[in-house]
């Protein structure tokens, strides 16, 4: 089918409204579809079936107007003319919606930040010599950060500096007064002053999360604007501390990524090798498992069991971590977790924290796959638990690899779909702009010049998850295709990056197929894909830093809110996506978020988030569900910013994207 994006189309919203039991399109990935056809035929349920089982949904829940905060409830606000307009305590729809929403922000912030905390702690243990198997892979990055933080490195060993830096970083989490460190170091003065004026400068990561829980307790904060402002403050503690520390300290400990080629999709599983799929988020575990899988002792053992070798591939953000730093293949994104197991070829599915469906355990029992949980924070009944501990990480990793090897001969029928796609990943703030600036000049000048001259329209960050309410990957792909056709450089993280990687958008050649002429010229000159993979979801902090660097470079305004940029999470699934949306809006970005947050039951809160908040932070949300329409809104926003900056008109007309699937 050949269609112009302008003549499009009700897709995603339509997918959400299909009645129960009707066949609906579940994925836009033909490789995933092959496995789904087989699971259907065998009567094996997946998240898609469980999704349909949940229909029809509770309307109060969908609209966010059910309150369970105190024991007098639950209270429901009627969206109709008749029926209660307040809870028993008097809380209105706006109060209820805002309270619930910022609790979600706090939960998302705690997930990223607890992850960041673990990485910093592992660096500390490594510096003390008590985390066996870990080495500080990037002392250069450590010294760079020390210089930025004003920590003297003179006459100090790498370990001494690492220890001091890790101790300082730990304080960012539980600071009780003052401000988190990064905004003043990295953001523009005007932005910092705006945050101070609004009272949304975070004191410490945990401080804000605790305060969110207090404010949203029964009978405390009832003013929706005041609640949302605190949500913004909590989110800034994540984006500008918890997540940013996870990225920076991860780079120090595990190495700063460099552009790397790899492959993605279920076809990376190997019929004749032991397949270990690492799923979850924390590189502290996956890095060790990758290392253990390359241990000659393990490879020998695998061969003794008749396998040709050991394949370690990832799902979800763990995949992005080991892809960025080790070039490990990506098995898939969030909705691939059950599909991978259903190939019959996964000997161990190794999980840590976040985005792990408890259903995996029962699902895996139909195959030979062993599901191994590793975190004390995340156990699943029926799974094998092998506690992972930084002190003995490498030994545990070897034990886990051994379990997979021993399980290899137990495979039943194996059916690996033969689809996989090449990709390039491993972009960071530094190396992308070394690329753009040419080999010897790491500078944002060429990017800024391209935007100023109208060769590039702007930059869009398309991030986030898969959501079973949508057709898997479709919204990411359609949105990104529309953006690059309009000369927008796209940066991606998380499961969205995996979605577009499967489609081939993360290859340099993609520019010739799908990008507008201006973007094409840039990709051709510097040899980058039109869509840059910046890593896992905590690595969205890389995007914040890149934007600050663009402003520093000059010619594009004084604040993030001035830049021709936009963000989107077109298949958002979890609370982490909400907090990311929040810290982007708090930082001044326009963010399209879909499916809509559960705020639609309050017109006041919806209006505040999608309109009025722009007066406050410079950013705002939109909840457009059609990804192409959403992309057009993002482009409109960029054009508005271009006009305000008096930039030149765009050099080239957009190409018409040809959307085939
Ligand atoms: Fe989870 Fe991070 Fe979302 Fe994917 S994108 S579904 S959070 S793995 Ni982060
Ligand atoms: Fe009902 Fe108020 Fe209690 Fe919520 S806090 S359950 S609205 S009484």
């Amino acid at each position: 089918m050949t269609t112009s994006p302008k003549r499009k189309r009700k897709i995603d919203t339509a997918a959400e409204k299909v009645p129960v039991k009707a066949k609906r399109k579940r994925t836009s990935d033909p490789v995933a579809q092959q496995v789904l056809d087989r699971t259907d035929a065998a009567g094996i349920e997946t998240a898609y079936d469980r999704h349909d089982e949940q229909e029809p949904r509770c309307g109060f829940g969908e609209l966010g107007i059910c309150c369970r905060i105190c024991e007098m409830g639950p209270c429901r606000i009627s969206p109709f003319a008749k029926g209660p307009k307040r809870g028993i305590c008097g809380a209105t729809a706006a109060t209820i919606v805002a309270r619930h929403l910022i609790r979600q922000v706090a939960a998302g912030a705690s997930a990223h930040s607890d992850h960041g905390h673990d990485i910093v702690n592992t660096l500390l243990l490594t510096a003390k010599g008590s985390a066996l198997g870990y080495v500080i892979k990037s002392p250069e990055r450590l010294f760079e950060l020390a210089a930025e933080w004003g920590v003297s490195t003179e006459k100090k060993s790498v370990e001494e500096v690492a220890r001091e830096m890790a101790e300082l970083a730990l304080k960012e989490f539980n600071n009780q007064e003052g401000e988190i460190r990064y905004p003043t170091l990295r953001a523009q003065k005007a932005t910092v002053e705006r945050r101070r004026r609004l009272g949304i400068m975070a004191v410490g990561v945990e401080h804000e999360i605790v305060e969110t829980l207090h404010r949203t307790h029964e009978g405390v904060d009832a003013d929706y604007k005041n609640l949302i402002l605190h949500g913004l403050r909590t989110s800034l503690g994540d984006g500008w501390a918890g997540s940013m520390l996870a990225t920076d300290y991860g780079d120090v400990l595990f190495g700063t990524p460099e552009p790397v080629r790899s492959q993605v999709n279920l076809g990376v599983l190997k019929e004749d090798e032991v397949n270990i799929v690492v799923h979850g988020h924390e590189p502290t575990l996956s890095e060790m498992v990758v290392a253990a899988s390359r241990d000659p002792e393990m490879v020998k053992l695998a061969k003794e069991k008749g396998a040709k070798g050991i394949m370690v591939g990832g799902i979800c953000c763990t995949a992005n971590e080991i892809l960025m730093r080790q070039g490990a293949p990506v098995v898939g994104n969030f909705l691939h977790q059950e599909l991978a197991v259903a190939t019959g070829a996964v000997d161990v599915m190794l999980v840590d924290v976040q985005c792990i469906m408890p259903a995996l355990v029962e699902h895996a029992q139909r195959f030979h796959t062993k599901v191994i949980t590793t975190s004390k924070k995340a156990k699943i009944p029926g799974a094998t638990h092998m506690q992972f501990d930084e002190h003995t990480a490498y030994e545990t990793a070897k034990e886990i690899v051994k379990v997979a090897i021993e399980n290899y001969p137990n495979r039943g029928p194996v059916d690996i779909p033969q689809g996989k796609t090449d990709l390039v990943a491993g972009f960071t703030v530094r190396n992308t702009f070394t690329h753009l600036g040419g080999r010897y000049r790491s500078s944002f000048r060429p990017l800024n010049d391209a935007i100023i001259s109208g060769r590039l329209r702007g930059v869009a960050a398309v991030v986030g998850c898969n959501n079973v309410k949508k057709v898997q990957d479709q919204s990411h792909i359609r949105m990104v295709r529309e953006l690059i056709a309009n000369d927008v450089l796209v940066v991606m993280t998380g499961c969205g990056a995996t979605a577009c990687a499967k489609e081939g958008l993360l290859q340099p050649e993609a520019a010739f197929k799908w990008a507008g002429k201006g973007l094409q010229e840039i990709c051709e000159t510097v040899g980058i894909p039109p869509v840059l993979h910046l890593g896992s979801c905590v690595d969205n902090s890389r995007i914040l830093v890149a934007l600050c660097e663009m402003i520093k470079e000059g010619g594009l305004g004084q604040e993030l809110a001035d830049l021709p940029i936009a963000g989107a999470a077109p298949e958002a699934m979890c609370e982490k996506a909400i907090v990311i949306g929040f810290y982007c809006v708090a930082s001044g970005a326009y963010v399209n978020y879909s499916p809509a947050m559960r705020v639609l039951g309050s017109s006041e809160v919806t209006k505040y988030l999608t309109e009025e908040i722009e007066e406050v932070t410079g950013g705002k949300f939109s909840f457009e569900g059609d990804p192409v329409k959403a992309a057009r809104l993002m482009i409109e926003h960029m054009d508005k910013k271009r006009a305000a900056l008096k930039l030149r008109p765009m050099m080239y007309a957009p190409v018409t994207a040809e959307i085939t699937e």
Side-chain angles (χ1 to χ4, degrees):
M1 188 175 66
T2 308
T3 37
S4 140
K6 284 171 206 135
R7 272 188 271 123
K8 295 208 76 84
R9 141 201 79 220
K10 284 195 190 151
I11 326 144
D12 294 68
T13 37
E16 284 167 46
K17 282 181 194 148
V18 167
V20 203
K21 288 193 182 135
K23 266 226 176 223
R24 66 178 181 113
K25 189 171 160 76
R26 291 169 288 180
T27 181
S28 65
D29 173 0
V31 181
Q33 188 57 52
Q34 282 180 50
V35 183
L36 282 169
D37 289 343
R38 282 208 312 273
T39 51
D40 283 350
I44 298 170
E45 69 156 44
T46 61
Y48 296 98
D49 304 299
R50 295 190 296 274
H51 165 271
D52 294 349
E53 225 173 78
Q54 288 295 329
E55 300 289 356
R57 305 288 175 111
C58 164
F60 297 99
E62 288 266 45
L63 296 173
I65 41 179
C66 168
C67 182
R68 300 188 305 128
I69 277 178
C70 88
E71 300 303 341
M72 297 192 284
C75 299
R76 302 183 306 186
I77 304 299
S78 170
F80 307 110
K82 280 194 177 158
K85 294 286 170 274
R86 329 193 131 223
I88 296 164
C89 67
T92 60
T95 307
I96 291 173
V97 159
R99 279 198 303 216
H100 186 257
L101 181 65
I102 76 163
R103 281 196 169 201
Q104 290 187 292
V105 168
S110 66
H112 285 150
S113 298
D114 203 24
H115 162 174
H117 185 274
D118 279 355
I119 290 176
V120 174
N121 205 34
T122 309
L123 180 69
L124 181 63
L125 294 174
T126 308
K128 287 181 176 167
S130 53
L132 292 181
Y134 294 99
V135 280
I136 297 167
K137 289 228 180 95
S138 184
E140 304 77 42
R141 185 72 188 124
L142 174 69
F143 281 73
E144 236 173 55
L145 287 173
E148 186 189 32
W149 290 30
V151 170
S152 150
T153 53
E154 223 171 294
K155 297 199 185 114
K156 288 181 194 160
S157 68
V158 170
E159 285 69 27
E160 279 164 345
V161 178
R163 192 168 169 160
E164 207 175 322
M165 288 295 290
E167 276 161 359
L168 281 177
L170 287 176
K171 287 201 190 118
E172 295 285 292
F173 292 94
N174 54 26
N175 242 2
Q176 295 302 321
E177 55 188 53
E179 289 174 353
I180 51 170
R181 182 184 300 264
Y182 278 131
T184 31
L185 292 177
R186 297 183 174 178
Q188 274 58 46
K189 210 163 155 242
T191 307
V192 171
E193 275 163 12
R194 185 199 284 258
R195 287 181 197 168
R196 286 188 184 139
R197 205 169 52 238
L198 293 170
I200 59 171
M201 188 64 108
V203 171
V205 179
E206 290 158 15
H207 183 278
E208 310 314 339
I209 295 169
V210 170
E211 193 174 315
T212 300
L213 292 178
H214 177 197
R215 279 176 185 244
T216 56
H217 182 274
E218 167 280 324
V220 187
D221 202 349
D223 176 341
Y224 70 90
K225 289 187 186 169
N226 204 39
L227 282 159
I228 290 169
L229 273 180
H230 185 71
L232 295 171
R233 172 161 149 161
T234 306
S235 74
L236 288 170
D238 174 9
W240 292 81
S243 282
M244 212 170 261
L245 290 164
T247 297
D248 283 344
Y249 281 67
D251 285 352
V252 168
L253 190 56
F254 304 117
T256 309
E258 284 300 328
V260 63
R261 287 184 178 277
S262 190
Q263 293 187 311
V264 59
N265 219 334
L266 296 166
V268 304
L269 294 167
K270 296 266 169 61
E271 182 128 24
D272 50 6
E273 291 188 23
V274 175
N275 291 313
I276 301 173
V277 177
V278 285
H279 169 25
H281 280 78
E282 298 191 341
T284 33
L285 167 72
S286 49
E287 289 282 329
M288 280 297 130
V289 174
V290 172
S293 75
R294 292 173 185 165
D295 191 312
E297 185 195 335
M298 293 295 116
V299 177
K300 184 166 165 267
L301 199 65
K303 290 194 171 147
E304 281 165 19
K305 294 282 175 190
K308 285 210 175 113
I310 305 167
M311 197 295 303
V312 180
I315 291 215
C316 280
C317 280
T318 281
N320 296 321
E321 297 283 358
I322 55 177
L323 164 70
M324 292 282 285
R325 299 199 177 90
Q326 311 262 9
V330 177
V331 177
N333 43 9
F334 178 68
L335 286 172
H336 267 37
Q337 56 189 291
E338 290 177 290
L339 307 186
V341 171
T343 63
V346 177
D347 302 301
V348 157
M349 172 77 84
L350 181 64
V351 305
D352 53 22
V353 289
Q354 303 167 22
C355 302
I356 299 143
M357 293 190 192
L360 264 183
V361 171
E362 204 188 311
H363 178 67
Q365 279 158 4
R366 293 171 169 269
F367 306 89
H368 81 301
T369 307
K370 281 209 158 75
V371 178
I372 302 181
T373 52
T374 53
S375 167
K376 64 179 191 302
K377 298 170 203 163
K379 295 188 177 179
I380 308 174
T384 308
H385 188 74
M386 294 174 77
Q387 183 59 49
F388 186 78
D389 181 316
E390 288 80 1
H391 297 90
T392 53
Y394 193 63
E395 286 316 305
T396 317
K398 271 168 68 176
E399 285 304 309
I400 292 167
V401 173
K402 240 185 245 171
V403 172
I405 296 171
E406 312 259 302
N407 199 25
Y408 174 76
N410 299 333
R411 283 187 190 175
V414 168
D415 196 345
I416 303 171
Q418 284 318 302
K420 57 183 172 189
T421 312
D422 292 334
L423 69 105
V424 180
F427 293 96
T428 61
V429 176
R430 172 65 52 87
N431 71 32
T432 307
F433 301 98
T434 316
H435 271 271
L436 284 172
R439 184 185 285 245
Y440 303 105
R441 202 162 58 105
S442 166
S443 152
F444 277 68
R445 198 67 249 158
L447 176 66
N448 284 29
D449 284 345
I451 294 174
I452 292 166
S453 65
R455 182 164 276 120
L456 271 188
R457 189 178 302 269
V459 180
V462 182
V463 308
C465 324
N466 281 150
N467 184 327
V468 79
K469 283 182 173 171
K470 302 223 174 193
V471 176
Q472 184 192 16
D473 301 346
Q474 190 180 62
S475 296
H476 286 293
I477 294 166
R478 289 185 174 175
M479 174 178 279
V480 168
R481 294 260 316 259
E482 181 70 13
L483 290 167
I484 64 174
N486 282 277
D487 290 320
V488 175
L489 177 69
V490 174
V491 292
M492 297 195 82
T493 58
C495 289
T498 307
C500 288
K502 288 189 270 175
E503 182 73 4
L505 284 157
L506 272 58
Q507 302 166 353
E509 306 83 71
F512 305 107
K513 280 199 209 151
W514 294 307
K517 196 153 183 297
L519 176 57
Q520 219 176 76
E521 284 172 1
I522 288 183
C523 293
E524 193 181 0
T525 316
V526 293
I528 52 170
V531 181
L532 303 178
H533 193 329
L534 266 72
S536 70
C537 295
V538 291
D539 294 333
N540 284 321
S541 58
R542 294 191 204 278
I543 301 172
L544 296 176
V545 178
L547 300 177
C548 293
E549 291 295 321
M550 282 169 72
I551 301 163
K552 254 185 231 160
E553 190 61 49
L556 291 174
Q558 306 303 319
E559 274 201 90
L560 283 187
D562 298 335
L563 290 170
I565 53 142
E571 299 180 30
M573 182 271 297
C574 63
E575 290 160 323
K576 288 177 288 170
I578 294 184
V579 73
I580 293 167
F582 256 69
Y583 70 64
C584 289
V585 168
S587 303
Y590 173 88
V591 174
N592 187 269
Y593 189 98
S594 177
M597 294 167 184
R598 289 189 201 104
V599 299
L600 302 183
S602 161
S603 52
E604 286 163 307
V605 172
T606 306
K607 187 155 191 261
Y608 188 66
L609 292 174
T610 57
E611 293 173 31
E612 295 158 3
I613 204 172
E614 195 171 14
E615 293 289 311
V616 182
T617 68
K620 65 175 176 181
F621 286 105
S622 91
F623 296 133
E624 174 56 52
D626 178 323
V628 176
K629 276 193 200 149
R632 305 276 348 152
L633 291 172
M634 293 159 77
I635 289 166
E636 240 170 63
H637 179 81
M638 288 180 208
D639 287 346
K640 194 175 88 188
K641 296 293 171 182
R642 292 186 63 87
L645 288 166
K646 302 199 170 51
L647 304 184
R648 287 196 210 132
M650 292 302 294
M651 269 185 199
Y652 305 107
V655 299
T656 303
E658 183 190 305
I659 293 174
T660 43
E661 47 70 46

